[in-house]
Each structure stands twice: as C-alpha cells, then as structure tokens.
Amino acid sequence: MEWIAAMQQAITYMEEHLMEEINYEDVARHVHTSSYEFHRAFSFLAGMTANTYLRNRRLSLAGREIVETDAKITDIALKYGYETPESFTKAFTRFHGIAPKFAREESAKLLLFNPLVIKITVEGGKSMDYRIVQTKEQKFIAVVRSFQNEIINDEENHDIPDFWGECNDKKLIEPICNLRPEGKRDLYGLCSPTNKGADTFEYGIGVLIDEDTSEFDFSEMQKAGYSIWDVKPGTYVVFDCIGEDGDCIGDTWAKFYKEFLPQMGYESEAETDYEIYFEKGRSGLFCELWIPIRRK
C-alpha cells in the first residue's frame, strides 16, 4: 500500500464524515487495511491518532459555530457527537482552554485546527542507517498480553512500559533469561500483526529459542504463564534506535513511514515486528527495531 496516498484518502474520508459517528476502525475499512496497521501508520505519519484528529476537528468547528451563530450550546454539543453538555464542556475546555459559555465573549481566544495534509519532503544531506536482513523461521518463549489498538503512539498511555515493569516486578523475565547463556540473554519485544476487524494486538517479552537455549519443560512454563511465539521466515529492515528512552522507537517508526517506505520500493508486511534489547549493547543504543517488509 502507498501509505502517503492512503493516509490522505483517509483524511478526506474523515472530513466528509465528521458529523457522523465514525472512528479509526471505520476509516481503516475505507482504505482497505487492518485497524491496527492503519492506526499505527496514521499516528506516526500525522503525529496523532485518527481518533484525536477527528476529535480536534470537531471541537475546532464547534468553537467556530459557537462564535458565528446564536445556536444553543447544548444543540451544538449534540451536533458534534457529545451526549451530554458536561462531556462537551470538559472536552471543549481541554481543547480550547476556555469553557463554551465564555467562547462568545469578545476577549475569548479559540484554537483553530485545520484539515491535515500529509506531505513528504525529501531533503539532501541526511542519512538514515538501515540494513535488510533475510530471516529464517524463529521461535521465542515469552510473556504475552493483549492490548487495545488505540494505545499505539498515544503519548498519555503507558500500558506497554507498565507491562515491562510488571514483568520485572513479578520476576517473570529472569526465568526465561536464565534459559540462555551469559552474553546471549538479549530480550525481544514482540509485536503481532492483527486480522482485519480486530481491535487488539499482542505484545510479548521473550527470548530466542535456538541451539544455545537450555531445554525446558514447556508444559511447566505454560502453567507459569509463558507462551511460544513463532515467527515466519521473512525480509526485515533493521534500524538502530538511538536514545535514552523509548521515545526513540516512535521516532524510528516515523522515519520508517515518512522516509524509508516512500523512497525504497518496499511496503510493510503483516508479520511480527520486534525490538531487540541487547544484554551487551553498544553505548547510546536503546534497541534495534526489526520491521517486516516486502517488495512492491
């Protein structure tokens, strides 16, 4: 899929249906992709989720309508999808910085949020290090949990970092790390693709199962909450995520959609992507990001 064209098509669809009860899943169906992949691509390309875009556009238009018409605020609230005046007031105040009842005062300042246009600007003199790797079938043992699609790229959501923290606190990572020899205890953050219509994806924290992994009784490990995660052979583009925290992962995903895909003749593949957190990584490297791709 040509993501730039698809995302602009998605924006056009959202603009044409702003007054209807639509969300990112409806938009994903319109551009013929899974809700998970659409949500991820849109959020990294646009810098916000599709649901945030819809909400901001509606609140911007609602503010304009309050100022330019004599319509009742309760009627405007219903028009823009808010079931109660209280919920509208809360959202409006958070967005514009003032309550709706003050919006008609001469000194009131409202926030304008115009329709988004996604553009890719190619500039010279910049480098983006990557490598293309052909992988064989891989198998992992991992702690796995399901998450809602809409948490992707939501700056206020910490579900996945909290999952890492919970696994560390409950000492769920140590037993699988101990299956590997010292020096080869790299951790993988595994992220599943989803089927069309699914509203969740799976994320796992695990280690590779290969000839270096000690034998274990899977039935016992399963009772302790672990799962086997299989990854098919495929083509991956690999990026270094340089930084002190997980923000660099989001930055790298954005570069993947904005720079790599438009220029390199590949498209994303609906297979497992993952981060590798090295036991002995080089200075400044937060993790490696492995993204499945295929030739157009």
Side-chain angles (χ1 to χ4, degrees):
M1 172 179 286
E2 181 53 66
W3 279 111
I4 307 306
M7 294 304 101
Q8 198 58 62
Q9 182 184 354
I11 291 167
T12 299
Y13 177 81
M14 285 188 281
E15 288 295 321
E16 292 174 348
H17 297 82
L18 274 177
M19 297 299 103
E20 301 173 22
E21 292 186 14
I22 62 168
N23 56 30
Y24 77 94
E25 294 171 322
D26 301 306
V27 185
R29 283 191 289 270
H30 180 72
V31 295
H32 309 293
T33 188
S34 72
S35 59
Y36 169 80
E37 189 64 22
F38 167 75
H39 183 74
R40 180 164 63 177
F42 186 92
S43 63
F44 285 120
L45 283 169
M48 70 190 78
T49 66
N51 284 352
T52 297
Y53 178 81
L54 286 165
R55 181 175 63 251
N56 289 353
R57 284 289 292 136
R58 288 166 179 159
L59 289 169
S60 179
L61 292 174
R64 179 177 174 179
E65 191 160 340
I66 289 174
V67 171
E68 296 181 355
T69 74
D70 295 325
K72 293 180 179 179
I73 290 177
T74 52
D75 293 337
I76 293 174
L78 289 171
K79 178 180 177 179
Y80 287 93
Y82 291 87
E83 295 181 356
T84 66
E86 291 77 16
S87 62
F88 177 66
T89 296
K90 184 176 180 180
F92 189 96
T93 304
R94 187 185 299 117
F95 180 74
H96 287 286
I98 60 171
K101 64 181 180 181
F102 299 124
R104 286 179 172 139
E105 296 181 357
E106 286 188 10
S107 60
K109 294 182 179 179
L110 299 181
L111 183 64
L112 179 64
F113 188 87
N114 286 321
L116 185 67
V117 176
I118 294 180
K119 295 181 179 179
I120 298 299
T121 302
V122 180
E123 300 176 354
K126 291 184 178 180
S127 63
M128 181 174 61
D129 295 333
Y130 69 91
R131 66 184 192 272
I132 305 294
V133 179
Q134 299 291 330
T135 62
K136 298 179 180 179
E137 182 179 2
Q138 299 179 94
K139 191 180 293 288
F140 302 86
I141 182 166
V143 189
V144 180
R145 183 170 295 175
S146 293
F147 296 90
Q148 293 294 315
N149 290 342
E150 53 260 35
I151 74 166
I152 303 168
N153 208 30
D154 182 347
E155 294 181 357
E156 297 181 0
N157 185 280
H158 305 285
D159 285 359
I160 289 180
D162 289 347
F163 177 48
W164 277 88
E166 179 186 337
C167 288
N168 276 311
D169 291 343
K170 293 181 177 179
K171 301 188 183 303
L172 296 175
I173 295 177
E174 185 177 350
I176 55 176
C177 279
N178 289 338
L179 295 174
R180 305 280 300 169
E182 287 190 18
K184 294 185 178 182
R185 292 174 176 172
D186 305 330
L187 283 173
Y188 288 72
L190 304 153
C191 192
S192 73
T194 61
N195 298 318
K196 279 192 176 183
D199 59 3
T200 61
F201 67 96
E202 288 190 328
Y203 185 88
I205 302 170
V207 299
L208 184 66
I209 299 175
D210 63 9
E211 64 275 5
D212 293 319
T213 308
S214 300
E215 292 187 5
F216 59 90
D217 185 336
F218 176 63
S219 62
E220 291 301 315
M221 296 296 283
Q222 192 173 32
K223 291 176 184 177
Y226 299 95
S227 302
I228 297 296
W229 188 305
D230 293 302
V231 178
K232 298 177 183 177
T235 303
Y236 281 78
V237 57
V238 184
F239 300 101
D240 290 343
C241 296
I242 306 296
E244 297 181 355
D245 55 38
D247 289 346
C248 61
I249 301 175
D251 294 340
T252 305
W253 271 109
K255 289 180 180 179
F256 170 72
Y257 283 111
K258 292 180 178 180
E259 300 177 33
F260 181 84
L261 288 185
Q263 299 180 56
M264 298 303 295
Y266 288 93
E267 58 187 4
S268 58
E269 179 71 291
E271 298 294 345
T272 296
D273 61 76
Y274 51 85
E275 310 118 24
I276 305 179
Y277 300 90
F278 294 100
E279 181 185 7
K280 297 182 178 180
R282 71 177 188 274
S283 177
L285 179 67
F286 187 74
C287 68
E288 280 186 351
L289 178 61
W290 288 59
I291 305 174
I293 54 175
R294 64 171 181 268
R295 279 287 185 186
K296 290 183 179 178

